[in-house]
Amino acid sequence: MKHLLNLRETSREDILYLLDSARALKEILSRPVKKVPTLRGRAMITLFYENSTRTRSSFEMAAKIMSAEAINIAVAQSSVAKGESLKDTLLTLQSLKADCIVMRHPVSGAAEFAADKLHIPIVNAGDGRHEHPTQGLLDLFTILQYKGEIAGKTVAIVGDITHSRVARSNIWGLTKLGATVRLVAPRTLLPIDADKLPVTICDTLKEGLEGADVVNVLRLQTERQERGLLPSLREYSKLFGVTPATLKFAKPDVLVMHPGPMNRGIEISADAADGKYGIHSAIEEQVTNGVAVRMAVLYTLMGGKEGLE
Ligand code: CP
């Protein structure tokens, strides 16, 4: 692997390799001293043109645990604010001798553009509505952790599919590993190419959750909503909100996931998110797994050679 740009073009073998590596690396997170010399002397730069809590900080944690330098470019305080182009910004970071750039950008295809211009590895940390491959990998990792396997499982992805790069990475990753994927959303929040995706479309939560092993709830991306996609947040919540009551449509041991950040009380109730009433919520574990998965990605792309100690 030279880059990690999407899961659509990442082979099933590479996905399984990254998940296996993450499983081995996760053990380091429970040690009293979370530090190995694996990537000593390497430098990762994060370049985020959009806000992030989980992704950016978990990449930084992952790099530091493996002894790599982790440098964050605060885009708003950088020369981007003086009008520097994406291409020149990327070339500058490469000239600083970064060994890897982790980039989030609002434009779909920005990561492919970066990979085309640079000779160092690029990790897509989310590009527009396109993909968020490390989120897809950590979701696969979490399902494997709780369910033991992915093949044969039914995963319902609920919510704002149109604006969701997480949904696309989940769809490609899950179907490559043999899961059945259902999209549950109002028609206005489904992409126009939804019928070309390897999924079943469900118009109601009852239909979509029936017999589901996993429900992955998406954030309603209010910042990306064009006017008129929803009558009201209240109606959306009533029809598509995941709650203890609506989870009864699914299998009794259904796993509840959400990539975060959550709009509590809109797409998911606090009780469902917090695992009340015996609900199996993996939302906090997803964040921990994000560090392990990103360690595996950095280890693979930056070529750790010293072994784990
Ligand atoms: N899931 C996710 O990408 O979260 P952040 O936007 O906080 O990175």
Side-chain angles (χ1 to χ4, degrees):
M1 288 180 72
K2 171 84 196 289
H3 308 285
L4 180 63
L5 304 178
N6 57 63
L7 292 192
R8 183 177 184 156
E9 293 163 327
T10 303
S11 69
R12 177 185 150 84
E13 289 67 34
D14 283 346
I15 290 173
L16 290 172
Y17 172 79
L18 289 168
L19 296 175
D20 274 351
S21 304
R23 196 168 17 250
L25 291 160
K26 190 179 175 187
E27 178 272 321
I28 297 168
L29 302 180
S30 54
R31 295 184 191 176
V33 178
K34 295 187 274 293
K35 198 83 169 175
V36 291
T38 317
L39 292 178
R40 191 162 53 201
R42 314 290 208 289
M44 172 202 75
I45 295 187
T46 55
L47 176 67
F48 277 48
Y49 287 79
E50 287 184 338
N51 296 341
S52 168
T53 298
R54 281 149 283 267
T55 312
R56 201 193 66 71
S57 55
S58 60
F59 267 110
E60 189 171 337
M61 287 281 289
K64 287 181 171 170
I65 288 167
M66 294 191 293
S67 301
E69 301 301 324
I71 294 126
N72 174 47
I73 304 296
V75 167
Q77 281 91 51
S78 75
S79 290
V80 172
K82 300 178 198 166
E84 190 160 43
S85 69
L86 176 59
K87 179 182 167 185
D88 285 337
T89 302
L90 290 164
L91 289 171
T92 301
L93 302 184
Q94 179 171 261
S95 299
L96 287 171
K97 299 298 178 192
D99 294 296
C100 175
I101 294 176
V102 177
M103 186 173 83
R104 174 172 288 186
H105 198 280
V107 174
S108 301
E112 272 87 356
F113 173 84
D116 188 50
K117 300 294 173 217
L118 303 190
H119 57 73
I120 58 173
I122 301 295
V123 181
N124 180 8
D127 61 329
R129 302 176 180 189
H130 177 223
E131 282 220 33
H132 190 351
T134 57
Q135 180 70 47
L137 287 170
L138 80 87
D139 290 342
L140 294 175
F141 187 88
T142 304
I143 295 171
L144 273 174
Q145 177 184 324
Y146 283 86
K147 296 291 179 188
E149 58 187 341
I150 288 175
K153 299 295 180 207
T154 297
V155 180
I157 304 176
V158 181
D160 187 355
I161 316 284
T162 300
H163 299 95
S164 178
R165 49 200 177 207
V166 174
R168 286 185 183 269
S169 290
N170 264 260
I171 290 165
W172 298 120
L174 286 164
T175 53
K176 279 181 190 198
L177 298 194
T180 298
V181 178
R182 297 178 188 159
L183 302 184
V184 189
R187 292 280 161 163
T188 50
L189 293 184
L190 282 172
I192 47 171
D193 65 344
D195 59 341
K196 297 191 180 70
L197 296 169
V199 296
T200 305
I201 309 283
C202 301
D203 291 320
T204 65
L205 266 184
K206 185 173 188 312
E207 182 191 355
L209 264 55
E210 192 163 14
D213 298 283
V214 178
V215 54
N216 197 355
V217 190
L218 301 175
R219 180 171 71 90
L220 193 63
Q221 299 195 22
T222 47
E223 76 276 25
R224 293 186 218 268
Q225 293 283 338
E226 290 93 32
R227 247 188 280 163
L229 291 183
L230 294 171
S232 74
L233 291 182
R234 195 169 158 184
E235 181 167 328
Y236 176 81
S237 180
K238 191 164 170 232
L239 293 175
F240 290 95
V242 171
T243 66
T246 55
L247 283 169
K248 287 200 173 27
F249 298 135
K251 284 190 177 164
D253 64 346
V254 65
L255 187 67
V256 176
M257 299 171 60
H258 192 303
M262 291 182 274
N263 297 305
R264 285 173 183 258
I266 298 180
E267 73 265 6
I268 189 167
S269 74
D271 288 342
D274 296 336
K276 298 274 171 63
Y277 309 116
I279 289 167
H280 303 275
S281 171
I283 295 170
E284 289 177 26
E285 188 67 7
Q286 283 176 267
V287 178
T288 305
N289 289 341
V291 181
V293 160
R294 284 158 185 141
M295 287 170 75
V297 170
L298 295 178
Y299 177 76
T300 302
L301 296 183
M302 289 208 278
K305 286 194 183 121
E306 294 186 46
L308 305 179
E309 290 177 6

